[in-house]
Amino acid sequence: MTRPASAAERLGHAGAATLLVHLSQSLLASGVALPLGASFTVPSFGTQLGPLLLRVAVYTVANALFAPALCMTWLYALLHPTPLRELTRRGFARYGLALRVSLACATCAGLLLALGVGSAWLVHRALSSAHDARLQDLGALAACLPTLIGCSFLLTIHDTARAAVALDVAHVRAALRAGYLAASARVIVERNASGAFALALFALGLLGPRLLFGAGPDAGLATLLITQALALAMTLARGLWLARALTHTERVLTRASVPRT
Amino acid sequence: MGVGVGFRYAAAVRCMQPLALVGFVLLGAAHAHADAPPLPVSDQAYDLDVQLSPDQHRIDGSERIRFVNHSVRVLHELYFHLYLNAFANDKTVFMREGGARLRSTRLGARGGITLLELRTADGTDLLAGADTELIAGDRTQLRVHLPDALAPGSAIELHVRFRSQLPALVARAGFADDFLMVAQFFPKLARLEDDGTWASFPYHGLGEFYADFADYTLRVRVPARYMLASGGDEVAARSRGPVQEHTFISRSVLDVAFAAYPYFVPSSFKHDGVDVRFFAPRGYDAAVLRQSDVVRGALTHYAHLFGTYPYRTLTVVLPPRAAQGASGMEYPALFVSAGPWWALPRALPDPAQDLVAAHELAHQWFSVMLASHEVETPMLDEGLAQWAALDFERQRYTASSWLHALDFSSHELFDLVRSIYLSRSGRAPSSLLPAYAYTYDDLARAVYARPALVLDRVEQTWGRARLEHALGAYARQQRFHHPTLANLWSAFDDTYGASFAARQLRPALAGKKDALLSEPAGPPSATLTAQLLFVAQALMHWIGT
Ligand SMILES: [Zn+2]
């Protein structure tokens, strides 16, 4: 039996799919950003805000619907070096299963959020006699903490369960169980560290170019280069995490008896 | 100083009885800010004695009014404003003009003023023949007929007893939980113009106020657990069992108001000779710190531009969250600010904390001291206060090292307002209309935004020094003088040359072609578009994989 590939190796042989993911997301993003940017000239700012917001909503929903297929394609690519055509075929073949995994996680997240909102509301009410808005708000925020922790757990399971689908687990419940088993505390921390890293890159992209070049007219190209490099880095960081999610899930699947096709 | 004004002060001094004169002089000694020009002598005085029953939201009060006919005409009648009656029912002018709807609220518990007694010093009842409903359905104005004509320069003393019920907070005055904003709570004379006409008007849905300067003594009895925040000097506070009696004295002011709340956390500091006192709810330390900074900076900034702040004290009230209806309102030596309990670090811009405080403080000049007609020419108070606030924040933000590093160029604050202003389809109406002629949206654009933008463009076109000179001259010369638009025009003409106002300023403010605002559409900013693309990519990335 050969040694399982490292996350970096997996990302290396999934170069084409990673690029596909990155470009398709960027294409969708430019459909939103370019008209928005054009509208930001002083005399017309906001005049077409309604249609623009609608555009953002349509693109976001389209992206969310397209996501399971794209993510499965990417996971297959990270699993085995395979021609892109075959990858996309397999990705779309598992669309239904990946979508159901997402829906199951979203349902749990919804319940968790309802629980969080409910407990926050109760705490807010209970603290109203203190006549201290800060205490009330911070108390309500603290009441949301279990929900936040639960959601970070769910985010991890969402990825590891999809990894299980890529590893040929054929049923939603089995995939979720595998995802659950793979989401150890260490793996959750790893998932959230990867998310935090992406957030840091995002903040760097917002502030970095301004700090370096100011907002002058010449800063456009430099800003574009830097932000695009950072956007690519975000995609790579995500790819690296998905590769690790595959490794973690694979390990669980070899130990536990989860039915596969 | 105009002829009318000179006459008014001469008449006032001539008619004063010796005792009153001593009182006024003492008040003056107690009240003038050390570095400010002396306060003018008022020819009116209100002595208010009220008991606040917070649980019933009720005020039982008596008042002694000393009034001098400072006009050139013999008076046969007096006009009073009973503005709490705006909240009496849905038929009042305030409600019909959408006073509650415009503020996205509804009239809950109703309010009003009941006059129990109104008589002259010799006991003549003025209430019996009074006209109580000058506009059908609206009892915010009252006209009483004098038993004897009041000659120019003559004084009259009136004794009033009243009971006021505070409404649930809709606008400016009222209660929310334990917080009470006690404003417009007593019968008050309308302003008498120098030509002898009464500038009386109902409480409008969108308009504010207009009044004569007067000296006020306000004695309030309130359950001891309540703290009071009022403009003016607190000269006495004594306990009478479970009740605390506070006495405040204000000189040469347009109005008095106070906030009462058991959970205020007071704090104070001195800046440029002014005793600044903050009254904020528990947990608002960050907001108080941030707004204290605004007040320090803006007191100095406005004093430099418009002349020294005239009063010795300044009180800032941050209302609790439930009482937002009271926020964003100015009274003499007092303003009710707004903002959440949390605030950003000093190095970063935080308009949610800064702009309302800077705007309301600017009103201490444009409305409290300059005392223009806020209903007929709201531009003179709101427009100028808005320019002053944006101008102050621009300087403050530009001076911040962080924002400097981020290349937050000095005009971005005005650019933001300009973008929002120009983004709305349809031209805003003239900025020179009365407040009741606007919708809420139009008021924001025409009365707040456009004047600020026009003045900014005047600064960019003709330079900072000239704008400072024109506005400074207007503010200093018109201190306590109830200026009109004509006074503003002439201040600009004096600085920029004859007919500048007629050729440039007035058409721009009237919205004719938005003369000083139009700007060719530039190409989209490449930097901004690159950053927007990045934000959209991040969004798609987080949702899409
Ligand atoms: Zn204002």
Side-chain angles (χ1 to χ4, degrees):
Chain A
M1 196 176 163
T2 51
R3 174 188 65 90
S6 75
E9 283 165 354
R10 285 177 186 234
L11 193 62
H13 64 63
T18 305
L19 204 63
L20 174 78
V21 167
H22 187 71
L23 289 180
S24 63
Q25 303 269 285
S26 302
L27 206 66
L28 278 169
S30 62
V32 173
L34 297 183
L36 203 61
S39 79
F40 261 90
T41 54
V42 163
S44 70
F45 165 61
T47 38
Q48 304 107 18
L49 210 59
L52 274 174
L53 286 178
L54 188 70
R55 199 186 176 94
V56 172
V58 167
Y59 274 71
T60 307
V61 169
N63 188 18
L65 288 176
F66 181 49
L70 194 67
C71 186
M72 289 314 300
T73 303
W74 202 4
L75 282 167
Y76 280 124
L78 291 163
L79 204 55
H80 310 287
T82 316
L84 203 54
R85 251 180 107 89
E86 172 62 12
L87 283 175
T88 45
R89 193 193 61 75
R90 292 176 70 181
F92 275 90
R94 283 303 174 100
Y95 178 86
L97 200 53
L99 183 67
R100 273 178 285 160
V101 165
S102 296
L103 288 177
C105 289
T107 308
C108 292
L111 288 174
L112 266 176
L113 283 177
L115 198 74
V117 170
S119 51
W121 182 77
L122 281 176
V123 168
H124 208 263
R125 249 179 83 104
L127 290 175
S128 69
S129 58
H131 302 281
D132 185 333
R134 180 175 57 186
L135 184 72
Q136 257 186 315
D137 290 0
L138 294 181
L141 209 62
C144 290
L145 266 182
T147 296
L148 280 178
I149 293 167
C151 281
S152 75
F153 184 44
L154 273 176
L155 277 175
T156 313
I157 292 180
H158 180 251
D159 289 343
T160 45
R162 272 186 179 174
V165 173
L167 288 163
D168 292 338
V169 174
H171 300 283
V172 182
R173 284 176 70 129
L176 287 169
R177 185 163 161 259
Y180 170 77
L181 292 173
S184 65
R186 205 178 57 96
V187 173
I188 293 170
V189 168
E190 204 178 294
R191 162 71 178 82
N192 284 294
S194 163
F197 180 65
L199 267 180
L201 292 177
F202 180 64
L204 197 64
L206 287 186
L207 295 178
R210 262 211 152 188
L211 281 167
L212 284 173
F213 316 113
D218 310 328
L221 184 64
T223 304
L224 185 72
L225 290 175
I226 288 185
T227 51
Q228 286 314 301
L230 288 168
L232 187 62
M234 283 166 81
T235 304
L236 292 177
R238 172 78 183 155
L240 211 56
W241 151 246
L242 284 179
R244 293 190 68 83
L246 279 169
T247 307
H248 295 312
T249 312
E250 207 165 23
R251 196 174 301 141
V252 165
L253 286 175
T254 53
R255 274 204 319 251
S257 54
V258 177
R260 300 201 222 180
T261 46
Chain B
M1 180 185 276
V3 175
V5 173
F7 175 81
R8 183 196 322 162
Y9 291 139
V13 173
R14 193 168 63 242
C15 298
M16 266 169 208
Q17 286 151 11
L19 193 65
L21 190 61
V22 170
F24 285 140
V25 171
L26 283 177
L27 287 177
H31 266 277
H33 170 331
D35 306 324
L39 292 169
V41 176
S42 296
D43 52 17
Q44 288 191 32
Y46 287 78
D47 197 337
L48 283 154
D49 194 308
V50 303
Q51 172 155 344
L52 175 64
S53 309
D55 295 340
Q56 290 82 41
H57 317 119
R58 198 182 68 214
I59 300 132
D60 292 284
S62 65
E63 115 192 84
R64 191 161 56 99
I65 305 173
R66 197 189 128 71
F67 169 74
V68 175
N69 177 3
H70 55 67
S71 80
V72 294
R73 259 195 12 210
V74 174
L75 295 179
H76 298 280
E77 51 200 19
L78 302 174
Y79 279 79
F80 285 87
H81 287 157
L82 310 173
Y83 277 162
L84 266 194
N85 286 341
F87 308 101
N89 55 57
D90 292 324
K91 306 276 184 299
T92 65
V93 170
F94 176 84
M95 289 302 293
R96 275 184 279 155
E97 290 180 351
R101 187 172 24 86
L102 292 169
R103 294 171 173 87
S104 308
T105 179
R106 286 188 316 136
L107 187 58
R110 290 158 189 222
I113 302 183
T114 309
L115 263 180
L116 305 171
E117 189 182 319
L118 171 56
R119 56 181 177 80
T120 59
D122 63 11
T124 309
D125 175 30
L126 298 182
L127 216 45
D131 303 313
T132 56
E133 205 170 294
L134 301 188
I135 295 171
D138 184 282
R139 289 175 173 251
T140 59
Q141 303 174 89
L142 175 84
R143 179 171 54 209
V144 300
H145 305 278
L146 290 169
D148 303 306
L150 192 65
S154 303
I156 187 172
E157 191 174 293
L158 303 162
H159 294 261
V160 189
R161 275 200 313 118
F162 61 93
R163 171 171 290 179
S164 296
Q165 188 68 40
L166 288 173
L169 248 171
V170 170
R172 305 184 185 114
F175 69 89
D177 301 333
D178 292 331
F179 178 86
L180 300 107
M181 189 65 220
V182 187
Q184 315 300 336
F185 64 100
F186 61 98
K188 186 175 152 192
L189 284 161
R191 166 158 159 77
L192 177 67
E193 299 283 11
D194 295 340
D195 65 2
T197 53
W198 287 96
S200 182
F201 48 88
Y203 194 138
H204 284 287
L206 279 180
E208 292 188 332
F209 310 107
Y210 186 43
D212 269 318
F213 287 99
D215 296 332
Y216 285 85
T217 303
L218 169 67
R219 243 178 325 280
V220 188
R221 279 178 301 287
V222 64
R225 72 189 190 96
Y226 273 79
M227 299 182 77
L228 293 194
S230 176
D233 279 5
E234 178 156 11
V235 293
R238 58 176 153 245
S239 289
R240 295 181 169 187
V243 172
Q244 181 93 5
E245 186 182 272
H246 304 261
T247 306
F248 300 93
I249 285 179
S250 309
R251 238 205 85 192
S252 290
V253 294
L254 299 171
D255 200 3
V256 282
F258 62 94
Y261 188 51
Y263 311 107
F264 271 140
V265 179
S267 59
S268 63
F269 59 88
K270 204 172 177 99
H271 183 78
D272 284 356
V274 181
D275 283 319
V276 183
R277 303 169 301 199
F278 270 79
F279 290 85
R282 292 173 186 165
Y284 277 63
D285 315 49
V288 168
L289 209 65
R290 176 105 200 176
Q291 295 197 22
S292 297
D293 242 28
V294 171
V295 167
R296 279 192 193 91
L299 266 177
T300 305
H301 186 75
Y302 298 153
H304 163 74
L305 288 179
F306 312 126
T308 318
Y309 176 79
Y311 306 115
R312 224 181 57 184
T313 64
L314 172 69
T315 301
V316 184
V317 172
L318 284 164
R321 218 162 16 193
Q324 286 312 306
S327 64
M329 185 58 198
E330 70 283 3
Y331 303 94
L334 163 74
F335 69 84
V336 187
S337 193
W341 57 262
W342 50 270
L344 294 179
R346 192 180 298 191
L348 295 171
D350 189 353
Q353 290 288 350
D354 301 344
L355 271 181
V356 176
H359 175 95
E360 299 310 324
L361 181 57
H363 274 311
Q364 293 299 320
W365 280 263
F366 301 109
S367 87
V368 167
M369 231 189 304
L370 270 75
S372 52
H373 198 313
E374 295 176 278
V375 171
E376 290 301 326
T377 50
M379 195 288 279
L380 283 180
D381 55 296
E382 297 302 349
L384 295 181
Q386 188 69 352
W387 176 81
L390 290 172
D391 180 64
F392 164 68
E393 292 300 354
R394 169 173 63 189
Q395 298 213 356
R396 188 157 159 269
Y397 289 169
T398 312
S400 150
S401 55
W402 259 77
L403 296 174
H404 200 71
L406 288 177
D407 196 41
F408 188 91
S409 80
S410 63
H411 278 277
E412 282 193 20
L413 202 54
F414 278 92
D415 284 342
L416 191 66
V417 176
R418 184 175 295 112
S419 302
I420 295 166
Y421 172 82
L422 291 170
S423 71
R424 311 303 302 269
S425 52
R427 181 167 292 151
S430 164
S431 304
L432 308 174
L433 304 178
Y436 46 79
Y438 296 108
T439 63
Y440 206 68
D441 195 43
D442 283 346
L443 186 85
R445 293 172 69 202
V447 174
Y448 288 73
R450 189 198 279 126
L453 295 173
V454 165
L455 290 175
D456 181 54
R457 188 50 59 86
V458 168
E459 176 182 340
Q460 286 176 42
T461 312
W462 288 280
R464 174 80 183 178
R466 290 220 268 180
L467 182 67
E468 276 193 18
H469 183 268
L471 283 175
Y474 166 73
R476 287 178 172 88
Q477 285 161 15
Q478 298 304 323
R479 232 172 141 90
F480 299 102
H481 285 171
H482 307 281
T484 62
L485 284 169
N487 298 115
L488 186 69
W489 305 148
S490 77
F492 273 82
D493 284 350
D494 288 348
T495 305
Y496 291 87
S499 73
F500 175 84
R503 282 185 295 104
Q504 298 284 355
L505 193 57
R506 217 171 145 161
L509 288 169
K512 299 234 168 75
K513 295 183 288 179
D514 274 338
L516 281 169
L517 291 183
S518 55
E519 193 168 301
S525 154
T527 311
L528 183 68
T529 307
Q531 287 201 313
L532 279 172
L533 177 64
F534 179 63
V535 171
Q537 276 173 303
L539 181 76
M540 296 300 167
H541 171 82
W542 279 315
I543 293 169
T545 54

